Amino acid sequence: MTAAQTEYSMLMDLLNGVFFQEDKEQAKRDFYTLLPKLYNSEHRPWEHNYVVREDGQLMAAVGMYPLEMNVAGHALRCGGLGNVAVEQSCRGKGYMKRAMDDAMAAMRAQDCDFGELGGLRQRYGYWGFERCGLQWRVELNQANLKHGGDAASEVYEARALTRDDTETLAELRRLTRAAPLYARPNAAPYDVLRSWDARPYAVLCNGKPAAAFVLNRDGRGINDFQLFGNASLWAATRAIFAILPSDIEEISFAVPSWETSLLAQAERLAEAVKLEPSGQYTILRWERVLRALLELQAGCRTLPDGTQTVKINGMFGAETLRLAVGKGNAVVEPFTGTPELELEHLEALRYFLAPYCARPRLPWFPLPLFMYSFDKV
């Protein structure tokens, strides 16, 4: 066995043992199956993990997987943290803190603009993460479709995707990249959509994708949903219910703010449309991220003119910035004067990005940071 094969085997044994040791044998999970976009050996996941060893054996690991993003035409780099694992016999030795500290240092060294992870809020608040971002939760039931239909004349059909559906997968990637915010993963499109052992589908109308969705592992809920062009939400949702188990009466999915056509249809059709955080994020380079997101926000809706100056005491140093909107144009730039507002790091995340903030703030906020679940670690 080569050194690389040994490292891969040791990492997978640690992760699978920590996370899935309680699984019943017939339903045993593993990271290779759950996240092929990261844990296929060709992606060399051991090179993205920051580990603690005892006598050469892995006892703790934290993965940091960079992802290139396009946000309103700006190239941003996201550091996704995952597989935070500590061997049970080593709990309480501070190994998680060591590995997390190393992963955060790597995120900064690799010029990441922001970071994303999943997990307990207070636990990861120590490393500067907060539940924030912005998405709309659309809830639809069978009665909505019965009484609120738009009677689309075209036939919509949901079809499961396989790795061999290269043309459809390529078209879905093209449509996704037409959005003002999208990720550019290195992995194959099918492996990305299969994240967390999900089941990708396309909704076809006259042979072309009208929508795409990803069912969760048990096939009873939707992880992600996208509607393309002027497609009918009513017809696409009918096609989704047609392939779900008959006892499922309601579905829900998250929608980013820039999907205005979808949200307009949901406003008329859905049982409810709710505002909620889109994930758990931190920001390492405030000027770059706020510039991209404020421009994205200005493209989503009309913003009132104004300015605000703020000092942000971030995790890796302070930044004093001027934010301005005038005639629909957004500007974020360094500011050398006395700022109107001073915020600590977690306060700033809530102020700029959280759906709710107790502190009074400009109507520009919250900013619409969003990631589909298939792009997260």
Side-chain angles (χ1 to χ4, degrees):
M1 185 179 289
T2 67
Q5 290 171 330
T6 299
E7 288 296 304
Y8 180 61
S9 178
M10 290 174 62
L11 177 65
M12 300 306 288
D13 286 347
L14 171 67
L15 300 184
N16 292 332
V18 169
F19 285 96
F20 307 131
Q21 60 181 336
E22 302 298 328
D23 283 4
K24 294 181 179 178
E25 196 58 40
Q26 63 269 28
K28 200 78 170 176
R29 294 169 292 170
D30 65 83
F31 272 89
Y32 173 82
T33 302
L34 289 176
L35 277 174
K37 67 177 182 180
L38 298 180
Y39 296 101
N40 188 318
S41 61
E42 70 182 42
H43 301 310
R44 304 178 71 85
W46 61 92
E47 294 182 352
H48 297 285
N49 269 262
Y50 300 87
V51 304
V52 179
R53 302 176 189 266
E54 283 186 358
D55 299 324
Q57 298 299 308
L58 291 190
M59 294 299 165
V62 174
M64 199 288 285
Y65 304 92
L67 178 65
E68 303 300 324
M69 306 284 295
N70 181 291
V71 182
H74 295 272
L76 297 183
R77 190 171 173 85
C78 172
L81 294 186
N83 66 243
V84 181
V86 180
E87 179 66 41
Q88 189 170 2
S89 63
C90 296
R91 307 280 167 86
K93 293 185 177 182
Y95 288 178
M96 175 202 167
K97 183 179 185 305
R98 284 170 54 183
M100 276 292 298
D101 287 346
D102 289 346
M104 291 298 298
M107 193 184 297
R108 187 183 184 194
Q110 295 182 36
D111 294 326
C112 291
D113 297 292
F114 70 100
E116 178 276 327
L117 57 69
L120 296 173
R121 179 189 179 199
Q122 279 76 16
R123 182 185 195 186
Y124 292 105
Y126 291 110
W127 287 276
F129 288 85
E130 178 61 286
R131 293 202 184 280
C132 54
L134 186 65
Q135 66 186 27
W136 297 93
R137 173 66 53 182
V138 173
E139 297 176 354
L140 278 156
N141 59 47
Q142 296 272 24
N144 301 141
L145 301 182
K146 182 177 180 180
H147 298 291
D150 58 10
S153 58
E154 298 91 347
V155 176
Y156 284 52
E157 180 182 11
R159 182 170 65 81
L161 294 175
T162 71
R163 195 178 299 277
D164 296 329
D165 291 315
T166 53
E167 291 187 11
T168 301
L169 290 168
E171 178 65 3
L172 292 179
R173 173 173 275 192
R174 185 191 70 80
L175 291 168
T176 297
R177 290 189 172 192
L181 187 155
Y182 62 86
R184 293 175 290 191
N186 293 323
Y190 186 73
D191 284 346
V192 172
L193 294 175
R194 284 276 295 153
S195 295
W196 299 109
D197 203 15
R199 309 178 188 183
Y201 283 75
V203 178
L204 302 177
C205 177
N206 298 325
K208 297 182 178 180
F213 63 99
V214 178
L215 291 184
N216 61 15
R217 189 169 186 257
D218 65 8
R220 299 181 63 84
I222 294 179
N223 286 353
D224 291 292
F225 175 83
Q226 297 168 280
L227 192 72
F228 303 118
N230 296 317
S232 164
L233 177 62
W234 177 80
T237 307
R238 279 172 54 90
I240 292 173
F241 273 113
I243 60 92
L244 292 175
S246 59
D247 62 323
I248 294 179
E249 295 289 331
E250 180 177 301
I251 59 174
S252 76
F253 48 83
V255 180
S257 294
W258 56 84
E259 294 290 357
T260 53
S261 175
L262 192 164
L263 287 168
Q265 293 188 62
E267 179 186 13
R268 300 189 299 269
L269 178 65
E271 188 68 20
V273 182
K274 302 175 181 178
L275 189 63
E276 63 185 21
S278 65
Q280 195 160 209
Y281 304 100
T282 190
I283 293 179
L284 287 79
R285 303 204 284 186
W286 282 94
E287 180 185 346
R288 287 173 52 80
V289 175
L290 291 179
R291 179 183 296 117
L293 290 176
L294 190 58
E295 289 185 17
L296 176 61
Q297 185 80 299
C300 292
R301 57 187 178 88
T302 302
L303 302 181
D305 291 355
T307 62
Q308 181 165 64
T309 57
V310 58
K311 180 180 180 182
I312 303 169
N313 296 311
M315 291 291 290
F316 299 105
E319 295 184 55
T320 304
L321 304 171
R322 174 181 174 269
L323 291 75
V325 173
K327 298 181 180 180
N329 296 314
V331 175
V332 178
E333 60 190 4
F335 180 71
T336 57
T338 301
E340 302 163 320
L341 184 63
E342 183 171 355
L343 299 170
E344 299 304 313
H345 181 79
L346 293 177
E347 287 183 305
L349 286 167
R350 292 191 291 270
Y351 182 83
F352 290 113
L353 296 170
Y356 172 77
C357 177
R359 183 190 291 267
R361 57 184 177 177
L362 290 172
W364 307 339
F365 312 123
L367 297 173
L369 180 57
F370 174 90
M371 294 176 69
Y372 286 106
S373 70
F374 54 66
D375 286 322
K376 296 180 179 179
V377 173

